Amino acid sequence: AQSVTQPDIHITVSEGASLELRCNYSYGATPYLFWYVQSPGQGLQLLLKYFSGDTLVQGIKGFEAEFKRSQSSFNLRKPSVHWSDAAEYFCAVGQQDMRFGAGTRLTVKP
Amino acid sequence: ETGVTQSPTHLIKTRGQQVTLRCSSQSGHNTVSWYQQALGQGPQFIFQYYREEENGRGNFPPRFSGLQFPNYSSELNVNALELDDSALYLCASSLLASGKYEQYFGPGTRLTVT
């Protein structure tokens, strides 16, 4: 069965510092992987996706993620965090019936 | 290009009542999926509609049902509401058969059951 684990419930980083959000997945075949961001009271916005090919994928807002099959991971990174990046981040796996992790809440300190 | 829209934004219902939530898909998309997001949790897949037929269902009871219309808009109906149905209900549209499974989400409907 497919599943996603986001080990960090809450992360706090200083503005300008680098960021890495962890995601581990369980999936029987080649996974379709996604990262979404959700601001308070809002829907989900797609940051980036991985289907196949280059294992380092670039997304919007300066985010990137690296697919590592050997570690069943798809971690999200950003070299320099902005205050506007404070939000909830969700990793998801699947095709039609996506499975989401529980989310990681990002707080950005000034 | 019009994004995914949902109505209403907020809704308060009493236990035992029925509710209908609505979703208009992004232009060019032919598939609608519904998710339930309880407070502090990730979204959970309810079901998906493609060509007006249910195309997959998550672990939700039959009192959760849906429709898709010829213009690809969709409704989610929940009968016999329970307190645990209080959640943000998210609709997402996609273009099935394109080989690209990314889904685009609407802003959600916040349902409170009292």
Side-chain angles (χ1 to χ4, degrees), chain B residues 47-69:
Chain B
F47 46 55
Q48 183 182 80
Y49 277 82
Y50 170 63
R51 291 185 175 177
E52 303 176 49
E53 298 282 338
E54 190 177 286
N55 186 45
R57 188 179 185 92
N59 189 27
F60 280 81
R63 61 189 185 84
F64 286 78
S65 63
L67 285 172
Q68 187 183 30
F69 301 100

Side-chain angles (χ1 to χ4, degrees), chain A residues 36 38 43 49 51 90 96, chain B residues 37 45 48 101-103 106:
Chain A
Y36 284 87
Q38 185 177 37
K49 59 188 180 287
F51 295 155
F90 293 95
Q96 290 98 302
Chain B
Q37 186 179 20
F45 175 71
Q48 183 182 80
Y101 291 97
E102 62 260 41
Q103 299 183 11

Side-chain angles (χ1 to χ4, degrees), chain A residues 3-7 22-26 91 100-102:
Chain A
S3 65
V4 175
T5 301
Q6 293 180 248
R22 295 184 291 164
C23 172
N24 294 99
Y25 68 88
S26 173
C91 181
F100 285 81

Side-chain angles (χ1 to χ4, degrees), chain B residues 17-37:
Chain B
Q17 287 187 316
Q18 177 266 341
V19 68
T20 297
L21 310 181
R22 295 179 175 81
C23 171
S24 291
S25 59
Q26 184 168 308
S27 61
H29 285 179
N30 57 13
T31 304
V32 174
S33 303
W34 286 91
Y35 293 82
Q36 179 195 68
Q37 186 179 20

Side-chain angles (χ1 to χ4, degrees), chain A residues 8 10 22 26 31 33 35 56 61 64 66 70 73 92 97:
Chain A
D8 304 305
H10 184 205
R22 295 184 291 164
S26 173
L33 293 159
W35 275 99
L56 184 63
K61 303 185 178 185
E64 66 177 27
E66 186 171 11
S70 61
S73 69
D97 56 338

